[in-house]
Amino acid sequence: WPSRLLHTSINFASNNDTGLCIINSEVVLRDTLVPGFIVSTRQGNGRDFWLVVQKFESNKYFIILNSIEGITIREQVIGSPKLSYLEAGAAAFSPDGTVYARFDHWNGLELLEFDRCSGSFMSVISLPTSLFADTNQFWYNQNHNDPTGLVFSPNSRYLYIVRTNQLYQLDLQLIGQASAIQLVASYDGTRDTTNNQRMLFGTPFLAPNGVIYLYYGGGKWIASIPNPDLTAPACGFNRTALYYPGLGYAGLPQPPNYYLGRLTGSLCDTLEWTGVASGTQTEIVWELSPNPAIHEVLVSLKAGSGVSGGAAVEVYALYSLDGRLLKRVSATNGAATRLWVGDLPAGLYLLQAQQNGYVLGSRRLAVVRD
């Protein structure tokens, strides 16, 4: 098992866009880790990233936040302790960042609900391996040490469990029902005519075009699931979707979902922003003065915001960064709204402008003491 987690930072814009290595193989974690289970999803602020790795033979997870302020690590114990195994298992985050999945033959499948704001797992569902049998008349490895893979559909509803010789679809909305698990494809004994390599299944990759690709390594063909958002068999399966002229190894890359944005209006949406909130056409441009503040803050709508007399904002709500509502004041029509903060401890807070239950904007407010 791996004994260290290393961090390397590269500035791709340096040296006339040829790149510059700023940090090289910095050790951020020393422990016995599960190989091949490094996955990442974006933090709720839309900028930083959570990274999750698992301790070997354990139910302990290391949850790492990588931000411009640095790297922080916390631990969480959840689910059942894991048995020792030989198979290269797999882990994956759903595209929307709300579900973390891990699978290996000896411990089965676990689905953990994930909070992108706090970086915490909140619940766990366990499914036994027997539901995803890998017995196959053309290829069967009783040691169960072949690679496996996990990949979610673009809409995050379906999870595809990729065994070396069989491919399953799990409908997360039907867990507990007999129809939740569907067999998508099974190895039929076909070999690559160019090198006689078994055309087995391999590590999957959700491409930006919404197609899932699979490659086992050593062969010339990349398989695909062309419509992964549809219930099997409508999702389809193409064993020879792409011809690969080289000889790859092990599988395809599994990068984070870089398209995932912030949780607009949430308590972890702490980066300063203005804009149009979901469900409303009202756009605001506003400012806090002073910020940092000691006693009182004036919240003003700036000219040119398209808002008349402040009527677009009904209330301003002040929260602590752990989600507690501290103050709530009605917006002043046609003038700056006064917010008293002299009774609050020094620190960072989140101020939201709200209308009819919608969050129109979020700003960070710093409170200091004399």
Side-chain angles (χ1 to χ4, degrees), residues 151-154 160 162 166-169 183-186 199-216 220-230 232-244 252:
V151 64
F152 284 86
S153 61
Y160 291 88
V162 185
Q166 285 170 294
L167 171 62
Y168 293 90
Q169 180 196 74
L183 179 65
V184 177
S186 185
M199 296 177 65
L200 299 167
F201 310 139
T203 306
F205 167 62
L206 175 59
N209 63 356
V211 175
I212 293 176
Y213 294 97
L214 307 95
Y215 182 65
Y216 182 72
K220 296 286 188 178
W221 289 99
I222 296 176
S224 75
I225 304 172
N227 301 296
D229 279 339
L230 300 179
C235 61
F237 180 77
N238 186 348
R239 190 62 194 87
T240 55
L242 295 174
Y243 180 76
Y244 180 57
L252 299 173

Side-chain angles (χ1 to χ4, degrees), residues 17 31 88 100 113 151 165 167 210 215 219 251 266 282 286-287 342 355 362:
D17 291 335
D31 211 310
Y100 169 90
E113 183 182 5
V151 64
N165 49 29
L167 171 62
Y215 182 65
S266 70
T282 304
W286 54 312
E287 63 180 11
Q355 178 198 40
S362 300

Side-chain angles (χ1 to χ4, degrees), residues 277 279-282 284 311-315 353-360:
T280 178
Q281 298 302 314
T282 304
I284 69 167
V313 179
E314 292 181 342
V315 298
Q354 301 176 357
Q355 178 198 40
N356 294 328
Y358 292 108
V359 178
L360 303 180

Side-chain angles (χ1 to χ4, degrees), residues 11-68:
N11 185 340
F12 290 99
S14 297
N15 293 337
N16 295 321
D17 291 335
T18 61
L20 175 67
C21 182
I22 301 173
I23 300 174
N24 185 17
S25 300
E26 172 192 31
V27 178
V28 297
L29 176 63
R30 293 181 183 273
D31 211 310
T32 53
L33 307 175
V34 177
F37 274 64
I38 300 178
V39 291
S40 182
T41 191
R42 196 181 289 274
Q43 208 264 356
N45 63 13
R47 180 195 65 191
D48 304 329
F49 277 90
W50 295 110
L51 187 74
V52 176
V53 295
Q54 187 178 350
K55 182 176 174 61
F56 188 68
E57 292 186 334
S58 171
N59 55 348
K60 177 188 289 187
Y61 294 87
F62 298 99
I63 304 172
I64 303 164
L65 180 62
N66 187 4
S67 71
I68 61 174

Side-chain angles (χ1 to χ4, degrees), residues 57-197:
E57 292 186 334
S58 171
N59 55 348
K60 177 188 289 187
Y61 294 87
F62 298 99
I63 304 172
I64 303 164
L65 180 62
N66 187 4
S67 71
I68 61 174
E69 284 83 18
I71 295 177
T72 58
I73 303 175
R74 56 184 298 269
E75 301 175 3
Q76 184 174 355
V77 176
I78 188 172
S80 60
K82 304 301 181 289
L83 301 173
S84 178
Y85 59 92
L86 299 174
E87 180 181 19
F93 266 113
S94 59
D96 62 9
T98 63
V99 179
Y100 169 90
R102 60 134 4 250
F103 177 82
D104 69 78
H105 175 83
W106 302 103
N107 296 287
L109 175 69
E110 280 191 348
L111 303 170
L112 292 87
E113 183 182 5
F114 187 72
D115 184 343
R116 286 175 54 204
C117 285
S118 64
S120 301
F121 293 122
M122 297 177 290
S123 63
V124 58
I125 297 175
S126 300
L127 299 177
T129 307
S130 58
L131 297 176
F132 312 99
D134 68 343
T135 54
N136 185 284
Q137 61 176 319
F138 298 103
W139 175 254
Y140 178 72
N141 182 351
Q142 64 180 0
N143 293 322
H144 304 294
N145 58 357
D146 289 321
T148 61
L150 294 177
V151 64
F152 284 86
S153 61
N155 64 5
S156 299
R157 173 175 174 173
Y158 300 101
L159 174 64
Y160 291 88
I161 297 90
V162 185
R163 307 301 302 262
T164 303
N165 49 29
Q166 285 170 294
L167 171 62
Y168 293 90
Q169 180 196 74
L170 172 65
D171 188 340
L172 272 64
Q173 295 184 7
L174 300 179
I175 291 179
Q177 302 181 28
S179 59
I181 300 174
Q182 301 290 337
L183 179 65
V184 177
S186 185
Y187 175 57
D188 59 4
T190 303
R191 291 176 178 264
D192 193 316
T193 57
T194 61
N195 60 7
N196 204 37
Q197 174 78 20

